[in-house]
Amino acid sequence: MDSIKYILRRFIGSSILISLLFIILNILGLFAFSYVTFVSKYSGDLDASESKEIRATLMMLEDKVILKDGKFTLDDSSKEVLHSNKVWAMLIDNNGDRVWGFDLPKEIPSHYTLTDVAKFSRFFLKDYPVYVWEHPSGTLVTGYPKDKYTKFNLTYTIDEISQFPMLIIGMLLFNAIITFLLASFIGLKMVKSIKPIITGIKLMSKGEPVVLQEKGILSDISKSINTVSKELQMKNERLRKKEEARTNWIAGISHDIRTPLSMIIGYSGELEESSSLSQREQEQASIICNQGIKIRELVNDLNLVSKLEYNMQPLDCNKIRVSVFLRELVSEFINNNLDNDFYIELDILNEDITINADKKLLKRAISNLIQNSITHNQQGCNIKVISKSDLDFCYIIVEDDGKGMSQEKINYLLKAQNGLSEAYAKGQNHGLGLLIVAGIINAHDGKLDITSIDCQGIKTILKLPLIK
């Protein structure tokens, strides 16, 4: 939903900015057009298509029409400019008589009343667009061809002029509202098309099937998502069947091995205690029994790894007081004929820590860590088990001062936490005990961290959620 809101906000924002820019450009264009129109209408100036030469001639025409020897005359260069542009001109004295003319059409009168002058000064004279200029001897009139210009008379009252700012503000508000409504409509239409696609992508990321309607402007995208979803479902189904077959195979092999293995361990145990055998034969029977037990443990570990990886190991979670749990576990190690070269220390920093966990699996995880310290440090070492907590998590730490572990192997173990059976299948089972620990902690929504400084001992931290 957040992505939809973001797209909608961006679309509406862009539309509003574009519309505002469009309105501003139109206002600027209106003012520019009005300026050119009013200057041309009221000052008698000409549009930009006129040549610079005729502009200069008309602007100075009142000075070039002069009285000489009792007659008004115009210099030849100015006449050439007017003639080449088909502009005619005349001078009317204060009595209304035409006292001078140049290239006048035949229908142009020679005498004008005050009313006649008032009419053509703002409009046309015999359908010729004319412009009026002030002259010391009267009124100077310039005329243009009938198809050259048209003229309008714009008149406004004072009330209308005073309302003009409010009219502009109203127009701007109206345009803004229309723009917003239009942008919202377009945005909602776009969101309506995009929303199913976003929902489909989210479902597809969760592995769920997606079927979108393939219509509208985004039909190609919908079709592609449907195709990808179908292919993913097929691949997931094949993968599920494959993993299910592998899990069943491991479970079946484990079950088939247990029966003959139990017989081997049982009979070898009887031979070990049989008085009819020599001491050497009893020792050999003891070796067979111990190796059979190791094989049984490996089979159990492999089966547990497979169940943990695919979340098939049901958790029997109960409230556990960590201090009591750790004392029991450490006591079992100490009382189980622990070699004198190993010393286990328990440090409880908070007696009241409680967690919700599967006691059997958690005991297996911590036992594996302690046993690893014993197994991989045959020369002996000091082992320390610590429990502490913060506001949200319980931390169980198992550390020793033995030979430690290389950073390369630590990195491998941390990366292999989510691929336990795969790591074991590749023959990398030297750290299987730690991999099982990782699987158990992951099943409890916890986190495993392993450190070793310069291969001087190893420190493993189990981070588990507290009961609040």
Side-chain angles (χ1 to χ4, degrees):
M1 185 58 69
D2 291 339
S3 57
I4 295 175
K5 292 180 179 178
Y6 173 77
I7 293 172
L8 184 59
R9 286 197 301 267
R10 287 292 301 271
F11 189 85
I12 292 177
S14 300
S15 300
I16 291 175
L17 289 177
I18 292 173
S19 299
L20 288 176
L21 179 61
F22 180 79
I23 292 172
I24 292 172
L25 290 176
N26 277 276
I27 291 174
L28 293 176
L30 177 62
F31 274 107
F33 176 80
S34 300
Y35 174 80
V36 173
T37 302
F38 276 89
V39 168
S40 176
K41 181 173 64 175
Y42 292 110
S43 68
D45 200 359
L46 305 175
D47 62 31
S49 63
E50 296 288 355
S51 66
K52 293 182 179 180
E53 188 176 18
I54 190 171
R55 283 172 177 270
T57 300
L58 292 176
M59 293 298 293
M60 300 180 65
L61 191 61
E62 59 182 283
D63 296 327
K64 292 186 178 183
V65 178
I66 60 175
L67 183 63
K68 186 177 181 181
D69 298 333
K71 294 183 179 181
F72 288 96
T73 61
L74 181 65
D75 61 273
D76 293 338
S77 61
S78 298
K79 288 181 180 181
E80 180 63 28
V81 172
L82 293 176
H83 183 74
S84 61
N85 288 278
K86 299 180 180 181
V87 177
W88 54 266
M90 67 177 177
L91 179 61
I92 303 172
D93 63 14
N94 294 328
N95 296 322
D97 295 325
R98 187 181 68 207
V99 295
W100 173 81
F102 174 76
D103 280 353
L104 293 174
K106 294 180 180 180
E107 62 267 34
I108 299 301
S110 59
H111 178 80
Y112 301 90
T113 65
L114 184 59
T115 301
D116 295 333
V117 175
K119 286 181 179 181
F120 72 69
S121 63
R122 302 298 297 171
F123 295 101
F124 300 87
L125 176 58
K126 299 297 183 181
D127 293 332
Y128 290 94
V130 295
Y131 291 89
V132 178
W133 308 77
E134 185 180 0
H135 192 274
S137 300
T139 301
L140 184 62
V141 181
T142 56
Y144 296 85
K146 295 181 179 181
D147 58 352
K148 186 69 173 179
Y149 294 103
T150 186
K151 302 177 73 175
F152 297 95
N153 184 22
L154 302 177
T155 304
Y156 301 97
T157 65
I158 298 299
D159 291 339
E160 289 173 339
I161 295 298
S162 63
Q163 293 176 4
F164 194 68
M166 294 301 297
L167 179 62
I168 293 177
I169 295 174
M171 290 178 60
L172 290 176
L173 290 175
F174 176 77
N175 280 279
I177 293 173
I178 294 299
T179 301
F180 177 77
L181 292 176
L182 182 61
S184 300
F185 174 75
I186 297 174
L188 290 174
K189 290 283 288 184
M190 184 62 69
V191 167
K192 187 177 180 181
S193 300
I194 295 176
K195 185 177 179 180
I197 294 177
I198 296 176
T199 303
I201 293 174
K202 290 181 178 179
L203 291 175
M204 192 164 55
S205 66
K206 297 177 182 178
E208 298 180 18
V210 177
V211 180
L212 301 178
Q213 293 185 355
E214 300 175 5
K215 63 179 183 179
I217 58 175
L218 302 178
S219 58
D220 290 342
I221 299 177
S222 300
K223 184 177 181 180
S224 299
I225 291 176
N226 288 338
T227 302
V228 172
S229 176
K230 186 177 180 180
E231 292 178 356
L232 286 177
Q233 290 299 312
M234 294 174 62
K235 290 181 179 179
N236 289 339
E237 181 63 20
R238 289 196 296 267
L239 182 61
R240 186 191 64 79
K241 291 181 178 180
K242 178 180 177 182
E243 298 301 338
E244 184 178 354
R246 182 172 69 170
T247 303
N248 291 336
W249 180 80
I250 292 174
I253 291 296
S254 301
H255 180 269
D256 292 343
I257 289 176
R258 283 193 184 97
T259 300
L261 194 58
S262 297
M263 296 178 65
I264 293 173
I265 295 173
Y267 287 132
S268 60
E270 291 181 5
L271 293 174
E272 180 184 2
E273 297 175 358
S274 176
S275 59
S276 62
L277 297 179
S278 65
Q279 182 178 358
R280 177 175 175 77
E281 289 173 336
Q282 288 178 340
E283 290 176 354
Q284 291 174 341
S286 176
I287 293 174
I288 294 172
C289 182
N290 290 333
Q291 294 301 317
I293 293 173
K294 286 185 177 181
I295 293 174
R296 183 176 63 189
E297 291 176 351
L298 286 173
V299 170
N300 291 335
D301 286 347
L302 180 59
N303 198 28
L304 178 60
V305 162
S306 178
K307 290 181 178 180
L308 289 172
E309 183 173 358
Y310 297 104
N311 298 320
M312 297 174 62
Q313 174 66 36
L315 297 182
D316 183 19
C317 292
N318 293 287
K319 184 177 179 181
I320 297 176
R321 188 174 180 180
V322 175
S323 58
V324 176
F325 168 75
L326 291 179
R327 285 191 178 96
E328 293 176 355
L329 189 150
V330 172
S331 297
E332 288 184 11
F333 268 94
I334 294 175
N335 296 329
N336 193 23
N337 298 321
L338 183 66
D339 194 286
N340 292 331
D341 293 330
F342 297 95
Y343 175 74
I344 301 179
E345 177 185 356
L346 179 61
D347 189 2
I348 306 295
L349 300 181
N350 187 345
E351 290 285 345
D352 299 324
I353 300 175
T354 56
I355 60 175
N356 191 40
D358 186 317
K359 186 175 182 179
K360 182 178 179 181
L361 286 179
L362 187 60
K363 181 179 179 181
R364 173 70 181 276
I366 300 174
S367 298
N368 275 12
L369 294 176
I370 297 175
Q371 189 61 48
N372 278 346
S373 296
I374 296 173
T375 303
H376 298 294
N377 295 285
Q378 297 179 359
Q379 76 284 2
C381 68
N382 295 316
I383 304 170
K384 190 172 184 179
V385 180
I386 306 170
S387 71
K388 60 181 183 178
S389 65
D390 56 21
L391 294 177
D392 299 309
F393 295 96
C394 163
Y395 300 90
I396 300 175
I397 304 169
V398 179
E399 58 183 1
D400 62 55
D401 59 357
K403 63 181 181 180
M405 187 183 299
S406 67
Q407 188 63 43
E408 181 181 0
K409 186 173 182 180
I410 290 175
N411 292 338
Y412 153 70
L413 290 173
L414 293 176
K415 291 180 180 178
Q417 289 184 42
N418 295 322
L420 307 181
S421 62
E422 181 180 353
Y424 189 81
K426 291 180 179 178
Q428 300 168 331
N429 58 344
H430 184 65
L432 183 59
L434 284 176
L435 294 177
I436 292 176
V437 174
I440 293 173
I441 300 304
N442 286 339
H444 286 81
D445 296 325
K447 184 178 179 181
L448 171 68
D449 188 31
I450 307 171
T451 57
S452 181
I453 303 175
D454 298 328
C455 291
Q456 296 296 319
I458 188 169
K459 181 178 181 180
T460 305
I461 303 174
L462 309 182
K463 179 180 178 183
L464 297 165
L466 288 174
I467 295 178
K468 295 185 179 180

